[in-house]
């Protein structure tokens, strides 16, 4: 049976059904709708004002690739300029290939690129060294906890170096729903309360951050990358299989199969969450070492580095006292396979 006509232009044959709405669209109309929805997210949320110099956290994976591509399309209308900032965590056999993809993107799209490395920023510590230190085996369940905290700091530093006024990351709705679910499963009310909204306004001197793809489903991000023929890196980090996030992801898939709106419902639930006064975390102060926002004497990054440098890396991640929970920080969105390996809902 031939594919139906596109429900938007009524001329071309439809190439897909939108995963959430079931609407049949041709590739041109789907890509235009996807870009218009990201534009709406940015404009309605007042995320990136005209004149903003935007540091795009670029990992080479599908999410940040799609984010950079869409923002480049929208930049003239938004009146913003873009600068790719990539973080080299020092993960052998993984990050070098991903950085090569970022370099290709920067060259093709004629966007400036700056790479900042953990080893340079954090006194020689790479993620491989952190993994050896925390587990002695090259792998550790807490790798993503360290990596998430250090990457946030590294991206902030890279953005400052290039004179950015705003930072954007490629987290999509599925990433956000996983984070909400993980925080529920841990009973972490403080993080749940902080995790809502489309970004943070830049408290304590930090640059404002936002996630323009936060309402876009992972499936549609993959479809957009596929139809735009974007070149991205799709292998999983060597430490990812150890992460608690994988369990949240599996659970979310089950929930979504039973209730297709589960992902967005979870994202919106975090936005609307109101904490009783007694459950609210105390207002953060300043880290005594680096001045960043901190709820204790040291910020998360300084506490983790302190533990690493003292040879007691697990001190800072919540063993015996209230520290960082394992997998406590949203890790970088992981690629979920090359475009052609994802089921493309078509006809
Ligand atoms: Fe870092 Fe992501 Fe790898 Fe975890 S999965 S160690 S957050 S790059
Ligand atoms: Zn600090």
């Amino acid at each position: 049976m031939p594919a139906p006509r596109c429900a938007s232009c009524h001329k071309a044959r439809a190439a897909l059904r939108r995963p959430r709405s079931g609407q049949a669209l041709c590739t041109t109309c789907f890509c235009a709708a996807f870009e218009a929805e990201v534009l709406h997210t940015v404009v309605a949320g007042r995320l990136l004002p005209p004149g903003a110099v935007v540091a795009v956290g670029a990992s080479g994976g599908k999410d940040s690739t799609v984010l950079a591509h869409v923002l480049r399309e929208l930049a003239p209308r938004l009146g913003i300029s873009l600068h790719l900032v990539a973080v080299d965590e020092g993960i052998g056999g993984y990050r070098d290939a991903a950085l090569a993809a970022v370099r290709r993107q920067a060259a093709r799209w004629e966007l400036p690129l700056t790479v900042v490395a953990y080893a340079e920023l954090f006194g020689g510590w790479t993620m491989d060294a952190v993994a050896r230190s925390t587990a002695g085996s090259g792998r550790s369940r807490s790798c993503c906890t360290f990596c998430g905290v250090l990457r946030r700091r590294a991206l902030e530093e890279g953005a400052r170096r290039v004179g950015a006024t705003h930072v954007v990351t490629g987290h999509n709705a599925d990433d956000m729903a996983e984070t909400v679910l993980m925080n529920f499963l841990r009973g972490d009310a403080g993080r749940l309360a902080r995790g809502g909204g489309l970004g943070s306004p830049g408290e304590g001197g930090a640059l404002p951050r936002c996630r323009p793809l936060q309402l876009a489903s992972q499936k549609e991000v993959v479809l957009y990358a596929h139809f735009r023929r974007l070149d991205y890196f799709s292998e999983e980090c060597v430490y990812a299989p150890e992460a608690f996030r994988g369990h949240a992801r599996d659970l979310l898939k089950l929930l979504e199969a039973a209730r297709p709106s589960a992902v967005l419902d979870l994202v919106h639930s975090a936005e609307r969450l109101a904490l009783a006064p007694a459950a609210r975390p105390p207002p953060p102060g300043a880290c005594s070492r680096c001045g960043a926002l901190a709820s204790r004497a040291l910020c998360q990054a300084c506490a983790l580095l302190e533990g690493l440098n003292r040879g007691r890396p697990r001190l800072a991640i919540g063993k015996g006292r209230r520290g960082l929970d394992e997998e406590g920080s949203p890790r970088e969105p992981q690629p979920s396979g090359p475009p052609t390996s994802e089921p493309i809902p078509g006809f």
Side-chain angles (χ1 to χ4, degrees):
M1 198 174 76
R5 297 248 174 236
C6 170
S8 180
C9 68
H10 306 290
K11 291 186 189 126
R13 290 282 173 203
L16 77 151
R17 280 194 188 280
R18 295 197 77 173
R20 273 188 211 139
S21 65
Q23 190 184 34
L25 292 179
C26 68
T27 56
T28 306
C29 289
F30 165 72
C31 290
F34 186 92
E35 289 162 12
E37 286 164 11
V38 176
L39 178 65
H40 180 263
T41 301
V42 171
V43 172
R46 298 184 183 165
L47 302 181
L48 301 172
V53 179
V54 181
V56 182
S59 69
K62 70 175 187 319
D63 300 287
S64 66
T65 299
V66 165
L67 176 64
H69 185 273
V70 171
L71 286 183
R72 185 170 167 272
E73 296 290 309
L74 301 177
R77 262 186 286 175
L78 290 168
I80 60 174
S81 56
L82 304 177
H83 197 122
L84 301 183
V85 176
V87 176
D88 181 356
E89 300 93 341
I91 301 174
Y94 167 69
R95 190 42 90 198
D96 291 346
L99 285 174
V102 178
R103 290 197 176 92
R104 288 195 300 275
Q105 292 164 4
R108 183 166 307 146
W109 298 336
E110 298 181 334
L111 289 175
L113 167 66
T114 296
V115 181
V116 286
Y118 281 9
E120 173 223 339
L121 294 175
F122 304 128
W125 284 103
T126 62
M127 268 316 293
D128 285 338
V130 170
R132 281 193 297 275
S133 172
T134 53
S137 63
R139 282 199 169 188
S140 163
R141 281 190 60 235
S142 53
C143 277
C144 295
T145 302
F146 283 85
C147 193
V149 170
L150 298 181
R151 186 191 304 97
R152 188 175 176 87
R153 171 63 55 88
L155 188 53
E156 176 86 13
E157 176 62 27
R160 287 188 185 284
R161 285 184 186 179
V162 303
T165 58
H166 291 70
V167 177
V168 295
T169 57
H171 297 87
N172 61 44
D174 294 61
D175 299 319
M176 299 312 300
E178 285 164 16
T179 300
V180 174
L181 200 53
M182 285 160 61
N183 288 335
F184 267 118
L185 293 173
R186 284 194 302 250
D188 192 334
R191 279 211 178 85
L192 273 170
R194 287 196 302 271
L198 289 159
S200 56
E203 295 162 301
L207 293 171
R209 282 188 177 235
C210 62
R211 303 176 283 258
L213 300 183
Q214 184 172 321
L215 301 179
S217 76
Q218 178 149 286
K219 283 181 188 147
E220 294 213 343
V221 170
V222 173
L223 284 168
Y224 183 89
H226 174 71
F227 289 130
R228 288 285 191 222
R229 299 181 188 282
L230 301 184
D231 164 23
Y232 64 83
F233 180 72
S234 58
E235 278 174 37
E236 193 171 63
C237 169
V238 290
Y239 302 119
E242 312 284 327
F244 178 50
R245 183 171 287 266
H247 300 292
R249 182 169 300 161
D250 293 343
L251 184 52
L252 195 59
K253 283 198 181 115
L254 289 175
L255 291 172
E256 204 183 7
R259 179 182 167 90
S261 64
V263 167
L264 269 192
D265 289 347
L266 268 166
V267 174
H268 291 315
S269 74
E271 285 166 13
R272 296 189 198 114
L273 194 77
L275 282 187
R280 281 185 207 139
C287 171
S288 60
R289 187 160 299 165
C290 73
L293 273 190
S295 50
R296 289 176 289 159
L298 293 181
C299 69
Q300 293 181 339
C302 288
L304 289 180
L305 289 168
E306 170 84 2
L308 286 167
N309 288 330
R310 285 169 54 192
R312 303 181 67 189
R314 299 182 77 78
L315 249 189
I317 57 171
K319 294 290 164 194
R321 68 185 173 92
R322 184 77 183 143
L324 289 179
D325 294 313
E326 293 206 1
E327 317 295 346
S329 297
R331 69 186 173 88
E332 172 189 331
Q334 285 297 304
S336 58
T340 46
S341 72
E342 292 276 334
I344 304 293
F347 299 95

Short mmCIF file of all heavy atoms in Angstrom, two decimals, residues 89 91 94-95 127 143-144 147-148 151 237 239-240 331-332 334, ligand 1:
data_model
loop_
_atom_site.label_atom_id
_atom_site.label_comp_id
_atom_site.label_asym_id
_atom_site.label_seq_id
_atom_site.Cartn_x
_atom_site.Cartn_y
_atom_site.Cartn_z
N GLU A 89 37.33 14.22 28.03
CA GLU A 89 37.38 13.64 29.38
C GLU A 89 38.59 12.75 29.59
O GLU A 89 38.89 12.37 30.72
CB GLU A 89 36.12 12.80 29.66
CG GLU A 89 34.81 13.55 29.58
CD GLU A 89 34.20 13.46 28.18
OE1 GLU A 89 34.96 13.14 27.23
OE2 GLU A 89 32.99 13.70 28.05
N ILE A 91 39.08 9.55 27.84
CA ILE A 91 38.57 8.18 27.88
C ILE A 91 39.11 7.48 26.63
O ILE A 91 38.66 7.74 25.52
CB ILE A 91 37.02 8.15 27.89
CG1 ILE A 91 36.49 8.91 29.11
CG2 ILE A 91 36.51 6.71 27.88
CD1 ILE A 91 34.97 9.06 29.14
N TYR A 94 37.41 5.99 23.09
CA TYR A 94 36.05 6.52 22.95
C TYR A 94 36.08 8.00 22.55
O TYR A 94 35.58 8.38 21.50
CB TYR A 94 35.28 6.34 24.26
CG TYR A 94 33.98 7.11 24.35
CD1 TYR A 94 32.89 6.75 23.55
CD2 TYR A 94 33.85 8.19 25.22
CE1 TYR A 94 31.71 7.46 23.63
CE2 TYR A 94 32.67 8.90 25.30
CZ TYR A 94 31.60 8.54 24.51
OH TYR A 94 30.44 9.24 24.58
N ARG A 95 36.70 8.81 23.38
CA ARG A 95 36.56 10.24 23.17
C ARG A 95 37.30 10.74 21.93
O ARG A 95 36.86 11.69 21.28
CB ARG A 95 37.02 10.99 24.43
CG ARG A 95 36.70 12.45 24.42
CD ARG A 95 35.32 12.78 23.88
NE ARG A 95 34.28 12.81 24.87
CZ ARG A 95 32.97 12.73 24.58
NH1 ARG A 95 32.57 12.56 23.33
NH2 ARG A 95 32.08 12.79 25.51
N MET A 127 39.42 10.79 32.91
CA MET A 127 38.40 9.85 33.39
C MET A 127 38.99 8.44 33.54
O MET A 127 38.60 7.70 34.43
CB MET A 127 37.18 9.82 32.46
CG MET A 127 36.08 10.78 32.85
SD MET A 127 35.70 10.80 34.62
CE MET A 127 35.03 9.16 34.84
N CYS A 143 31.74 6.18 37.92
CA CYS A 143 32.42 7.00 36.90
C CYS A 143 31.54 8.15 36.43
O CYS A 143 32.01 9.28 36.28
CB CYS A 143 32.81 6.14 35.69
SG CYS A 143 34.35 5.28 35.94
N CYS A 144 30.29 7.87 36.17
CA CYS A 144 29.42 8.91 35.61
C CYS A 144 29.15 10.02 36.63
O CYS A 144 28.88 11.15 36.25
CB CYS A 144 28.11 8.33 35.09
SG CYS A 144 28.36 7.22 33.70
N CYS A 147 32.26 12.07 36.31
CA CYS A 147 32.33 12.65 34.97
C CYS A 147 31.29 13.75 34.79
O CYS A 147 31.58 14.81 34.22
CB CYS A 147 32.12 11.55 33.94
SG CYS A 147 32.56 12.03 32.28
N GLY A 148 30.07 13.53 35.31
CA GLY A 148 29.02 14.53 35.15
C GLY A 148 29.38 15.84 35.84
O GLY A 148 29.21 16.92 35.28
N ARG A 151 32.43 17.42 34.01
CA ARG A 151 32.11 17.96 32.68
C ARG A 151 31.37 19.28 32.78
O ARG A 151 31.59 20.20 32.01
CB ARG A 151 31.31 16.99 31.83
CG ARG A 151 31.18 17.59 30.42
CD ARG A 151 30.24 16.96 29.47
NE ARG A 151 30.52 15.57 29.27
CZ ARG A 151 29.89 14.62 29.90
NH1 ARG A 151 28.95 14.93 30.77
NH2 ARG A 151 30.17 13.38 29.69
N CYS A 237 29.99 5.12 25.46
CA CYS A 237 31.17 5.25 26.31
C CYS A 237 31.46 3.93 27.02
O CYS A 237 30.54 3.21 27.41
CB CYS A 237 30.90 6.36 27.33
SG CYS A 237 32.12 6.44 28.66
N TYR A 239 32.33 3.36 29.93
CA TYR A 239 31.86 3.31 31.32
C TYR A 239 30.34 3.32 31.44
O TYR A 239 29.80 3.11 32.52
CB TYR A 239 32.43 4.49 32.12
CG TYR A 239 33.94 4.51 32.10
CD1 TYR A 239 34.63 5.58 31.55
CD2 TYR A 239 34.66 3.43 32.60
CE1 TYR A 239 36.02 5.58 31.51
CE2 TYR A 239 36.04 3.42 32.56
CZ TYR A 239 36.72 4.49 32.01
OH TYR A 239 38.08 4.47 31.96
N ALA A 240 29.63 3.57 30.34
CA ALA A 240 28.17 3.72 30.40
C ALA A 240 27.44 2.47 30.91
O ALA A 240 26.46 2.60 31.65
CB ALA A 240 27.63 4.12 29.03
N ARG A 331 24.45 12.66 33.28
CA ARG A 331 25.61 12.46 32.43
C ARG A 331 25.26 12.93 31.03
O ARG A 331 24.11 13.21 30.72
CB ARG A 331 26.03 11.00 32.43
CG ARG A 331 25.06 10.08 31.74
CD ARG A 331 25.50 8.64 31.94
NE ARG A 331 24.51 7.74 31.44
CZ ARG A 331 24.46 7.31 30.20
NH1 ARG A 331 25.32 7.76 29.32
NH2 ARG A 331 23.55 6.47 29.83
N GLU A 332 26.27 12.99 30.25
CA GLU A 332 26.06 13.42 28.88
C GLU A 332 25.09 12.48 28.19
O GLU A 332 25.16 11.27 28.36
CB GLU A 332 27.42 13.35 28.20
CG GLU A 332 27.39 13.57 26.74
CD GLU A 332 28.74 13.26 26.20
OE1 GLU A 332 29.70 13.42 26.94
OE2 GLU A 332 28.83 12.85 25.06
N GLN A 334 23.74 9.92 25.90
CA GLN A 334 24.52 8.94 25.14
C GLN A 334 23.89 8.67 23.79
O GLN A 334 22.68 8.60 23.66
CB GLN A 334 24.56 7.64 25.94
CG GLN A 334 25.52 7.74 27.10
CD GLN A 334 26.93 7.96 26.63
OE1 GLN A 334 27.47 7.18 25.86
NE2 GLN A 334 27.53 9.04 27.07
FE1 LIG B 1 31.34 10.32 31.31
FE2 LIG B 1 29.16 9.83 29.84
FE3 LIG B 1 31.16 8.06 29.93
FE4 LIG B 1 29.61 8.41 32.09
S1 LIG B 1 28.96 7.58 30.12
S2 LIG B 1 31.86 8.27 32.06
S3 LIG B 1 29.19 10.62 31.93
S4 LIG B 1 31.25 10.13 29.06
#
